[in-house]
Amino acid sequence: MAVQISDLLKTITDDVKVIVRDEIDLAKAEMMPKAKNLGIGGGLFAAAGVMGVFALTHLMTAAGFGLAVAYSGGDFSAGPAWGFLTIGGVFLILAAVTALIGLGRVKKATRDGMTPTATIDQATTTVEGAKAALTRGKQQAEADAAARKQHKATERWVGADTL
């Protein structure tokens, strides 16, 4: 039974939809860890910035208390200045550590670049396979057409001989 062209086109369309959907799923799967690491790295940089602001305010407060002690001739207690200085230093260290961890996450995400290489390789393979299938299909169609032409010529020759 001959296959209808409309059936072939519907089958091809359905196959292309499945292939495109699979390629999109592959790209999502490949890019998701990279995006996650970039997001975490960005969040850690933001946290480091906040801690840096806290460190700066505590260090400036410590400096203010230090100046108060200096201007008072030592009559004022230096304890609050040392307390704010300590807390400011802790915030500064936490900000630095958080920024380094964030930098590590960003480097991890961008180590291989942000290009979905596996998806591109798979798409290239799919396109090459489709081209090869089209070439084989074209060759088969040409061979079938030549065979039909030969068969018709043979029918005409045999038919002319029997008359």
Side-chain angles (χ1 to χ4, degrees):
M1 181 176 164
V3 178
Q4 296 291 326
I5 292 177
S6 62
D7 293 338
L8 287 175
L9 289 176
K10 182 175 180 348
T11 302
I12 290 171
T13 303
D14 292 343
D15 289 346
V16 168
K17 286 178 184 177
V18 169
I19 289 170
V20 168
R21 194 174 305 119
D22 289 346
E23 295 293 337
I24 290 171
D25 290 343
L26 178 61
K28 284 180 185 177
E30 188 176 3
M31 294 304 291
M32 202 57 98
K34 293 179 182 187
K36 181 180 175 183
N37 279 325
L38 280 176
I40 291 171
L44 288 170
F45 279 133
V50 169
M51 284 188 252
V53 169
F54 288 163
L56 184 63
T57 57
H58 280 81
L59 293 174
M60 289 188 331
T61 304
F65 274 109
L67 287 175
V69 169
Y71 291 148
S72 69
D75 293 338
F76 190 71
S77 172
W82 285 110
F84 279 106
L85 187 63
T86 303
I87 297 299
V90 168
F91 272 122
L92 202 57
I93 291 169
L94 286 175
V97 169
T98 305
L100 287 174
I101 293 171
L103 181 63
R105 286 293 189 130
V106 170
K107 282 186 178 181
K108 180 179 178 182
T110 59
R111 182 180 315 133
D112 299 329
M114 291 304 292
T115 306
T117 53
T119 303
I120 291 171
D121 292 343
Q122 181 62 38
T124 303
T125 302
T126 301
V127 168
E128 289 171 359
K131 284 181 182 179
L134 285 173
T135 301
R136 286 191 308 272
K138 181 182 175 187
Q139 290 169 348
Q140 183 65 42
E142 289 171 350
D144 289 348
R148 280 192 303 274
K149 187 176 180 181
Q150 181 66 33
H151 182 69
K152 284 183 181 183
T154 304
E155 280 181 353
R156 272 189 252 131
W157 182 74
V158 170
D161 193 29
T162 57
L163 289 177

